[in-house]
Amino acid sequence: MMTQYQEKAVVIRREQLSADNVRLTFECPDIAAAAYPGQFVMIRVGTGNDPLLRRPFSIHQAHKEGLLQVYFKIVGRGTEMLAEVGEGAEVSILGPLGRGFRLVESPACLVGGGLGIAPLLFLARELSRLQRDCGLDTVILGGRSRSEVEPLVKDFEQFGMTVVTTTDDGSYGQRGFVTAAFSSLSLPASCAVYCCGPEPMMAGMNVLCRARGNSCQVSVESVMACGMGACLGCSKPTRGGGYVHVCVDGPVFDAEEMVWNI
Ligand SMILES: Cc1cc2nc3c(=O)[nH]c(=O)nc-3n(C[C@H](O)[C@H](O)[C@H](O)COP(=O)(O)OP(=O)(O)OC[C@H]3O[C@@H](n4cnc5c(N)ncnc54)[C@H](O)[C@@H]3O)c2cc1C
Ligand code: FES
């Protein structure tokens, strides 16, 4: 049983990476020290009971020295409120939650679409620390346009990754989807693929990885109320005919374990 903490975390840095995308760095020692790539936290975005429910966010980066980052897009009231939190403010964070990525001792290809890039940075750092005889790892970062992708490129390059970028509108990197960029790479079948993004993208990655013989782990999203297995609101069907709870059984699963409705 993993230990979880509820901490009053102080915002020590706020970065507006694009018009809608914000990165917050918290002083959050217990959660940061216990965190593992692919896990998430639940953040209380307001004071009191408005909004009532905490919001789930992937752990973007965590340092044993106590710093924890989340990277998010403003999509509604909760994320709007979180984006307004200033440096020095305190926020209640619960975590680390869920099961993260299984780190495989082989070459890695990380594939992130839109805000699905968020959990891959922590993963990139931990992979760079793993003793593997595999040469360079690759990360494919995709987004709608330049502002969703460009601000994160250097963050991945610092871990020695070859960065490939794609945008839907062609404003940065290759025009098109990350799946097309992945198809054009010649990667060995031993390459482990780690993926997070919109469902159609992960469904596509599942098909491509199966055809090429690559293992593929995906970080899945679902609407979450409790984040701890208590409300049963986050269940998803599996190919075996059962159900999993994204918050406690995931959010990371083997892609071929899941049902893809696309
Ligand atoms: C495990 C997990 C990790 C996540 N990590 C990140 C992250 O790193 N960065 C990030 O930007 N977002 C992440 N999300 C999504 C994030 O939790 C939602 O965007 C957020 O809760 C929306 O809150 P809101 O109050 O602003 O929007 P709301 O007003 O609640 O909803 C606005 C819109 O967002 C949609 N939405 C709400 N909750 C979710 C959800 N859980 N998943 C998908 N769509 C949702 C709603 O359907 C609606 O269309 C993650 C979700 C999960 C489950
Ligand atoms: S969010 Fe409540 S059980 Fe998963």
Side-chain angles (χ1 to χ4, degrees), residues 223-234 245-247:
V223 173
M224 284 187 186
C226 72
M228 302 186 77
C231 73
L232 309 183
C234 63
H245 292 108
V246 174
C247 68

Side-chain angles (χ1 to χ4, degrees), residues 20-22 38-42 45 51 53-60 70-81 115-119 196 219-224 234 246-247 250-251:
D20 293 334
N21 294 355
V22 175
Q39 289 189 297
F40 66 100
V41 290
M42 296 287 282
V45 294
L53 299 174
R54 290 172 182 268
R55 299 293 194 261
F57 297 95
S58 305
I59 297 172
H60 180 53
V70 295
Y71 167 54
F72 63 95
K73 188 182 194 80
I74 303 168
V75 295
R77 182 157 160 68
T79 43
E80 237 167 57
M81 290 171 80
L115 268 291
I117 294 171
C196 185
S219 178
V220 170
E221 271 200 18
S222 120
V223 173
M224 284 187 186
C234 63
V246 174
C247 68

